[in-house]
Amino acid sequence: MATNKIKKGDTVKVIAGKDKGREGKVTSVKNGKLVIEGINQVTKHTKPSQANPQGGIVQQSAPIDASNVMYVSKGKVTRIGFKFEDGKKVRYAKATGEVID
């Protein structure tokens, strides 16, 4: 699989699906799927447990495919590229040319 260009902690904008146009922060990345806080909320029925003795119905963020989001740099959506600076491989925003990390 190709390297994932979006990492935990990045701010992204949803470009496809029911939450199109919404922005959020990436909380986890796994196998090309992202969990973004407040995006793709689903209802889950939970049994009582130590952590949640009451149980019941809870809202939680479900994973969304990485192809359905774009990185946000300075309020503008952009693609991400890689380049070498000072012998290190870094990500950069193609729209602004700004180095991300």
Side-chain angles (χ1 to χ4, degrees):
M1 188 174 147
T3 56
N4 200 353
K5 296 179 178 182
I6 296 175
K7 304 214 180 303
K8 182 178 177 178
D10 288 348
T11 302
V12 294
K13 186 171 192 173
V14 180
I15 59 170
K18 67 179 184 181
D19 290 317
K20 183 177 179 175
R22 294 182 61 201
E23 287 185 22
K25 193 171 188 176
V26 177
T27 55
S28 75
V29 180
K30 192 173 186 181
N31 296 331
K33 300 266 188 187
L34 313 170
V35 175
I36 306 163
E37 59 187 35
I39 305 289
N40 199 20
Q41 292 287 316
V42 294
T43 304
K44 184 172 169 89
H45 298 258
T46 59
K47 284 185 171 181
S49 65
Q50 288 285 180
N52 185 7
Q54 185 65 34
I57 302 169
V58 294
Q59 290 281 101
Q60 69 181 42
S61 295
I64 186 170
D65 199 83
S67 65
N68 293 334
V69 300
M70 281 187 85
Y71 183 79
V72 176
S73 172
K74 296 181 181 174
K76 193 175 181 184
V77 292
T78 178
R79 290 181 293 158
I80 296 176
F82 290 100
K83 65 181 176 183
F84 286 93
E85 275 194 1
D86 304 325
K88 291 183 98 177
K89 187 177 180 182
V90 294
R91 295 185 304 157
Y92 75 99
K94 289 191 173 187
T96 60
E98 172 194 21
V99 173
I100 297 165
D101 54 7

